[in-house]
């Protein structure tokens, strides 16, 4: 049976009824189709694509054009899943006008269902402005990779009471500002549980323990396609890299020894036509 398009109301209903929400990153058409067909609720076109697809050292260099290019491919493949377009670094920090324009591009050009942006209480005016313009916003706090340098690296956040209280406040402020959902990245499970309990909007965790309303993983971590490093919170469900490498070496070997293409991959001509060809 064909799945209907996932809506914000359904995501909120899942929180109320205690049903967990699934979110997976995807950056291209075939992956979006697979994620969609797996029945996953939401697809995040994360700016993590800068690292796992484009080979950048961090998410900082990712541009609007790169995000839109990938988001367009994803929304062509995702028929039912709710698609989040991740706003890249400096596409929403410079001013609310620029933030609204860029958020609008995710909706108008890439057909995303909402945008996601990183930052706590300081992002309240931006969230308010984008939401007022009619664009749903998912917030993202805790470890915020775009500002990892400011955080002194990719470190777990909110480990002491003071910073934990700040994160609770940020989460509440972002909900108040109109965010419809929030992602918590790399924070202690106890703090994530407190934030989840304190908010009425769904809370999606990545490295934030099991008590969030849902979980997100980076696709390339899940399938073993990003070999540079694996964060502690990522679970690899299948390791595709060695399998793909093996297939590629087999192809090269068969080309070199002439066993590929075989007769089953080859087109033939009628003998009489071949004869005329000379
Ligand atoms: O860009 C991304 O993939 C993300 C997730 C890690 C939540 O922001």
């Amino acid at each position: 049976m064909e799945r209907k398009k996932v809506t914000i109301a359904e995501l909120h209903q899942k929180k109320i009824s205690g049903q967990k929400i699934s979110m997976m990153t995807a950056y291209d058409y075939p992956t979006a189709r697979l994620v969609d067909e797996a029945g996953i609720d939401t697809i995040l076109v994360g700016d993590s694509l800068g690292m796992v697809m484009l080979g950048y050292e961090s998410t900082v260099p990712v541009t609007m054009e790169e995000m839109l290019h990938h988001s367009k491919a994803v929304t062509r493949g995702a028929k039912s899943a709710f698609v989040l377009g991740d706003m890249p670094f400096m596409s929403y920090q410079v001013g609310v006008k620029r933030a609204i324009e860029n958020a609008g591009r995710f909706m108008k050009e890439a057909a995303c269902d909402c945008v996601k942006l990183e930052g706590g209480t300081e992002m309240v005016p931006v969230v308010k402005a984008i939401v007022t313009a009619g664009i749903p916003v998912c917030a993202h706090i805790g470890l915020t990779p775009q500002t990892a340098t400011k955080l002194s690296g990719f470190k777990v956040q909110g480990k002491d009471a003071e910073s934990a209280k700040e994160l609770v406040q940020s989460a509440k402020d972002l909900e108040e500002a109109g965010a419809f959902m929030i992602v918590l990245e790399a924070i202690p499970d106890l703090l994530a549980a407190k934030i989840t309990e304190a908010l009425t909007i769904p809370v999606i965790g990545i490295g934030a323990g099991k008590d969030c309303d849902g979980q997100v993983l980076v696709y390339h971590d899940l399938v073993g396609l990003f070999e540079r490093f694996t964060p502690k919170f990522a679970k690899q469900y299948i390791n595709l890299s060695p399998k793909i490498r093996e297939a590629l070496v087999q192809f090269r070997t068969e080309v070199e020894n002439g066993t590929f293409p075989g007769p089953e991959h080859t087109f033939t001509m009628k003998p009489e036509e071949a004869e005329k060809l000379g």
Side-chain angles (χ1 to χ4, degrees):
M1 210 177 67
E2 208 165 285
R3 209 165 47 118
K4 283 205 300 207
K5 179 79 186 172
V6 174
T7 62
I8 291 177
E10 275 163 29
L11 297 173
H12 282 207
Q13 190 49 46
K14 280 200 165 187
K15 171 158 184 137
I16 293 164
S17 63
Q19 276 177 276
K20 296 282 185 184
I21 298 166
S22 50
M23 182 185 287
M24 180 54 50
T25 68
Y27 317 104
D28 57 42
Y29 173 79
T31 309
R33 285 196 60 145
L34 291 173
V35 174
D36 200 59
E37 283 162 17
I40 288 174
D41 296 309
T42 60
I43 296 181
L44 170 63
V45 190
D47 65 350
S48 50
L49 69 82
M51 296 173 79
V52 301
M53 295 288 287
L54 305 178
Y56 295 143
E57 283 298 316
S58 76
T59 57
V60 170
V62 177
T63 65
M64 271 301 294
E65 301 315 316
E66 286 164 342
M67 287 308 303
L68 291 173
H69 173 80
H70 287 272
S71 299
K72 284 178 193 174
V74 167
T75 55
R76 285 194 285 265
K79 296 288 163 247
S80 307
F82 187 89
V83 180
L84 298 87
D86 208 4
M87 297 193 73
F89 187 51
M90 284 300 135
S91 68
Y92 56 97
Q93 292 89 343
V94 175
V96 290
K97 185 172 173 292
R98 179 92 69 90
I100 297 170
E101 278 165 6
N102 283 326
R105 293 189 71 191
F106 275 100
M107 311 295 282
K108 284 171 73 86
E109 295 176 38
C112 287
D113 298 308
C114 78
V115 294
K116 174 172 92 56
L117 56 85
E118 296 181 6
T121 302
E122 74 284 3
M123 282 299 147
V124 161
V126 177
V127 172
K128 270 190 183 157
I130 298 176
V131 172
T132 305
I135 299 168
V137 175
C138 172
H140 179 165
I141 60 169
L143 171 55
T144 44
Q146 293 176 6
T147 43
T149 312
K150 196 173 140 201
L151 302 173
S152 298
F154 289 82
K155 291 185 179 152
V156 178
Q157 301 296 304
K159 283 175 85 171
D160 57 81
E162 196 187 329
S163 60
K165 277 184 188 163
E166 276 174 29
L167 285 171
V168 174
Q169 193 55 53
S170 279
K172 288 180 176 170
D173 291 344
L174 290 160
E175 173 173 270
E176 174 75 23
F180 79 96
M181 188 153 77
I182 186 162
V183 169
L184 303 180
E185 179 165 353
I187 64 169
D189 57 351
L190 187 135
L191 172 59
K194 276 192 189 302
I195 294 175
T196 306
E197 168 117 39
L199 300 191
T200 60
I201 56 172
V203 174
I204 309 298
I206 175 159
K210 62 177 178 47
D211 293 322
C212 299
D213 300 310
Q215 299 291 328
V216 53
L217 277 182
V218 168
Y219 173 79
H220 287 60
D221 292 334
L222 179 116
V223 299
L225 279 179
F226 184 65
E227 295 183 300
R228 239 163 68 198
F229 64 88
T230 310
K232 174 182 160 75
F233 54 66
K235 176 169 175 184
Q236 191 180 83
Y237 285 76
I238 183 171
N239 190 5
L240 290 183
S241 288
K243 291 186 169 52
I244 294 173
R245 221 174 266 123
E246 202 179 300
L248 292 169
V249 169
Q250 202 178 332
F251 165 73
R252 196 203 74 213
T253 308
E254 290 187 9
V255 169
E256 286 171 1
N257 67 21
T259 52
F260 177 81
E264 68 276 32
H265 312 113
T266 305
F267 304 105
T268 55
M269 243 177 155
K270 288 189 177 138
E272 57 272 26
E273 294 301 323
E275 208 170 303
K276 278 190 239 164
L277 187 65

